[in-house]
Amino acid sequence: MRKQIPNILTSIRILCSILLLICQPFSSTFTWLYIFAGISDMLDGFTARHFHAVSSFGEKYDSLADVLFIGVCLLKLLPAIHLPLWGILWIALIAAIKAFNLWFSHAYHRNKLFLHTIANKITGA
């Protein structure tokens, strides 16, 4: 059972992401779902390593959950906030780093997943 905990945490992030779609941005429900999704993102990799449950499926599942969470957040939050030009450029830079990371992962490792590099963790933060 312990080896399933990382994938359960990833599933929680996917469920939270889907539920975010029906919430008003910045509502208390939206905020709590966002927090739970973020916590599950931080814990799934840690628990996978702790329980020696790292797998190819888990890595891909985590990347899928990341893409879904990021996409839903952008879809819900960008229309709700009014960003200055530097904010839009900052988001574009983060998206470019993530896209490069995905391309690099595919080109050099033949994986379609996000490498968990320091740059990728910084953009996530």
Side-chain angles (χ1 to χ4, degrees):
M1 177 63 184
R2 284 198 253 171
K3 293 202 181 254
Q4 293 304 318
I5 291 173
N7 290 337
I8 291 168
L9 290 168
T10 301
S11 296
I12 289 170
R13 186 161 71 260
I14 290 172
L15 178 63
C16 287
S17 298
I18 292 167
L19 292 174
L20 283 171
L21 286 170
I22 60 173
C23 294
Q24 285 293 107
F26 307 112
S27 68
S28 61
T29 304
F30 185 94
T31 302
W32 282 112
L33 288 169
Y34 183 89
I35 290 169
F36 287 141
I39 290 170
S40 73
D41 189 22
M42 290 186 290
L43 291 177
D44 62 359
F46 171 78
T47 56
R49 289 184 295 278
H50 179 74
F51 293 127
H52 305 287
V54 175
S55 69
S56 177
F57 170 78
E59 290 174 344
K60 290 177 178 137
Y61 193 45
D62 179 59
S63 289
L64 172 71
D66 288 345
V67 168
L68 181 64
F69 182 55
I70 292 165
V72 167
C73 287
L74 288 174
L75 181 73
K76 294 298 283 189
L77 293 174
L78 283 182
I81 57 177
H82 303 286
L83 290 176
L85 179 59
W86 69 265
I88 294 168
L89 294 174
W90 188 251
I91 290 171
L93 176 64
I94 291 170
I97 291 169
K98 296 249 184 210
F100 176 78
N101 193 340
L102 188 59
W103 170 82
F104 182 84
S105 171
H106 180 68
Y108 288 94
H109 300 288
R110 296 293 177 221
N111 288 325
K112 291 184 179 176
L113 53 91
F114 288 107
L115 296 176
H116 291 240
T117 62
I118 292 172
N120 206 24
K121 292 195 181 295
I122 290 170
T123 60

